[in-house]
Amino acid sequence: MSPLFCAACSTLFAPPEDADPFALLGLEPAIAVDAGALRKELLRLQRAMHPDFFAGAADETRALAERNTAELNAAYEVLEDEVRRADWLVKRQGGPDENEERQMPQAFLMEVMEWNETLEEARGSEPSSSAREAALELGRELDTERESLVRSVAELLDPLPNTGSDVLVEARRRLNAVRYVDRALRQIEEIRLECRSSSSTS
Amino acid sequence: MAYSDKVLDHYNKPRNVGSLDKAKSTVGTGVVGAPECGDVMKLQIEIEGDRIVDAKFKTFGCGSAIASSSLATEWVKGKTLDEALEIRNTQIVQELSLPPVKIHCSVLAEDAIKAAIADVKTKRESDLKKESA
C-alpha cells in the first residue's frame, strides 16, 4: 500500500523522508517488477490523488495532492526503467555509485575508443557508405551487448545482495558499461537521423 | 554553458592529437573513462631514459575533456616521470578555469597521465627482468 494516500478515508499523507520509489508504489524493493501491475497501480494512485479531485479542499491539501502526484510520477520513472531500477537498488544496498566505482578494464575502454573511432568516421560521410554501414552495424552489436549487460545485472541483483557485498560492485561496473554503450547508441541514432534527412532532401 | 577562452583555444586547436606506437617498449598508454558521461580519453607518452619526449592524446568527450587532455600532453612533455606524476587535476582546473560540473574532466586527464606512466614503468620493469634473466 502506498504511504501517500489512504483509499479508505481518501486522505493524503506527506511523502516520508528518503522516499523509496518501491514503497511509494506499494512494493517491496526487488529487481523483478511486474510492469503491467505497476502501471495499473500508478494509474489507480494518480486518479485517487489527482489535484483536480481536491480542487475545493484547503490550499494545504491541494498543494499536497500536487506534491504527492509529482513524487509518485518520479518514483514510477525509476521503477519502469530496468537500468534506473538497478541503479537505485545498488545504492539502496549500500553499493558504490558511479563516482565511487569508476575503474573499468583497459580492454573495455580500448573497445569504447574503437566504437568512437568508428562513429567519427561515419559522421559526415555519404549515406550508404561503408563507414555509415559500419556504424549501423555497430549499433546492432551494441543493442545486443546492452541487452545482455542489463540481463546480467538483473541476475546479480536477484535475490538482492546484502549490504557491502562485492556483487554490488560488480553490478555497478556493469551499469557503468551500460552508460558507455548508451552514449555510443545515442550517437549512432544521430547518425541514423542524419542519413534519413540527407536522403529525403536529395 | 560558456567555455573559457583557454578551453576554446585547446578545443579548436588541440595540441598533440594522435597516436604513438603502443607496442614500443618506450611508449606508455593510458585509457581512462568517465562513467557519468561516457567520455573516454587515451593519453600516450614516449620516454627517453626518465624523460618524457613526446605525448599524444585522443579524447572523445566534451570540450573540457578535450582541453584537459590537450593541456596534459603539453605539460608532460619534457618532464621526468616523477615530475609528471606531480601534475594535479586542480592545476588543470585553474589553468582552464573549469566550472565545478567539469572538474571530472580534469580528474580524467590526471588519471590518464598516471595510467600512461604506470604502463611504461611496467614495460620497463619487465624489460629489465628479461635482461637480467
Side-chain angles (χ1 to χ4, degrees):
Chain A
M1 221 170 53
S2 174
L4 297 175
F5 182 72
C6 168
C9 55
S10 292
T11 307
L12 293 162
F13 297 104
E17 263 178 59
D18 295 330
D20 162 352
F22 288 91
L24 292 187
L25 276 130
L27 295 171
E28 287 296 319
I31 189 67
V33 156
D34 178 341
L38 180 69
R39 178 96 198 137
K40 242 171 109 177
E41 183 62 3
L42 171 78
L43 294 174
R44 191 183 71 80
L45 287 165
Q46 272 178 339
R47 260 198 309 272
M49 300 194 298
H50 200 286
D52 287 354
F53 191 69
F54 296 91
D59 287 352
E60 209 178 295
T61 309
R62 272 204 327 253
L64 191 55
E66 271 165 29
R67 182 171 162 204
N68 280 3
T69 299
E71 291 268 349
L72 179 71
N73 291 339
Y76 180 76
E77 273 173 30
V78 173
L79 297 186
E80 70 160 350
D81 181 313
E82 51 194 344
V83 171
R84 291 189 64 185
R85 197 160 71 225
D87 172 71
W88 192 89
L89 285 169
V90 168
K91 284 182 201 154
R92 177 191 189 266
Q93 298 304 98
D97 67 20
E98 63 274 14
N99 289 309
E100 290 155 347
E101 180 52 48
R102 28 191 325 122
Q103 294 308 321
M104 297 295 281
Q106 282 286 299
F108 176 79
L109 291 172
M110 286 302 288
E111 219 183 299
V112 178
M113 288 294 296
E114 281 163 23
W115 303 342
N116 279 293
E117 275 158 15
T118 303
L119 298 181
E120 190 176 47
E121 276 177 40
R123 228 169 273 130
S125 65
E126 294 295 312
S128 76
S129 63
S130 61
R132 290 279 179 139
E133 288 305 317
L136 298 181
E137 174 58 29
L138 176 65
R140 286 186 284 274
E141 283 167 25
L142 290 181
D143 278 335
T144 314
E145 177 154 353
R146 188 184 198 279
E147 256 175 57
S148 80
L149 275 168
V150 172
R151 202 178 321 125
S152 76
V153 170
E155 280 164 15
L156 287 175
L157 297 180
D158 185 23
L160 270 187
N162 293 327
T163 305
S165 162
D166 288 344
V167 175
L168 295 167
V169 177
E170 184 54 32
R172 174 57 63 198
R173 286 198 191 115
R174 292 184 199 188
L175 287 171
N176 284 346
V178 171
R179 283 170 175 264
Y180 287 101
V181 169
D182 280 348
R183 180 181 193 270
L185 284 174
R186 274 197 302 277
Q187 292 179 346
I188 292 167
E189 193 51 35
E190 281 166 23
I191 290 170
R192 204 193 309 270
L193 293 172
E194 215 178 279
C195 284
R196 207 172 289 155
S197 62
S198 57
S199 58
S200 63
T201 50
S202 61
Chain B
M1 191 199 60
Y3 283 122
S4 72
D5 290 346
K6 279 185 178 157
V7 170
L8 287 175
D9 184 46
H10 277 279
Y11 180 74
N12 293 323
K13 291 176 289 179
R15 332 295 198 252
N16 310 309
V17 173
S19 286
L20 298 170
D21 182 3
K22 204 173 104 177
K24 266 172 91 172
S25 64
T26 50
V27 169
T29 303
V31 190
V32 294
E36 304 90 332
C37 50
D39 287 0
V40 274
M41 185 181 283
K42 182 175 82 176
L43 193 144
Q44 293 182 299
I45 53 169
E46 180 155 16
I47 54 167
E48 268 175 36
D50 225 17
R51 198 164 288 280
I52 298 170
V53 291
D54 200 3
K56 296 275 184 209
F57 84 95
K58 184 134 203 200
T59 293
F60 294 101
C62 65
S64 302
I66 290 169
S68 296
S69 40
S70 172
L71 180 66
T73 55
E74 274 193 326
W75 278 359
V76 296
K77 269 201 213 178
K79 286 196 166 65
T80 64
L81 294 179
D82 286 342
E83 285 164 356
L85 279 174
E86 296 291 307
I87 296 172
R88 289 288 168 271
N89 83 291
T90 46
Q91 297 166 295
I92 297 172
V93 170
Q94 209 170 14
E95 174 69 18
L96 296 175
S97 319
L98 294 180
V101 289
K102 293 295 181 183
I103 286 176
H104 71 270
C105 300
S106 67
V107 174
L108 215 53
E110 182 187 325
D111 288 349
I113 296 172
K114 294 210 168 101
I117 292 173
D119 184 47
V120 81
K121 279 187 173 170
T122 313
K123 279 184 175 174
R124 197 162 59 179
E125 275 158 28
S126 71
D127 277 359
L128 284 176
K129 264 182 214 148
K130 262 183 245 159
E131 274 167 31
S132 63

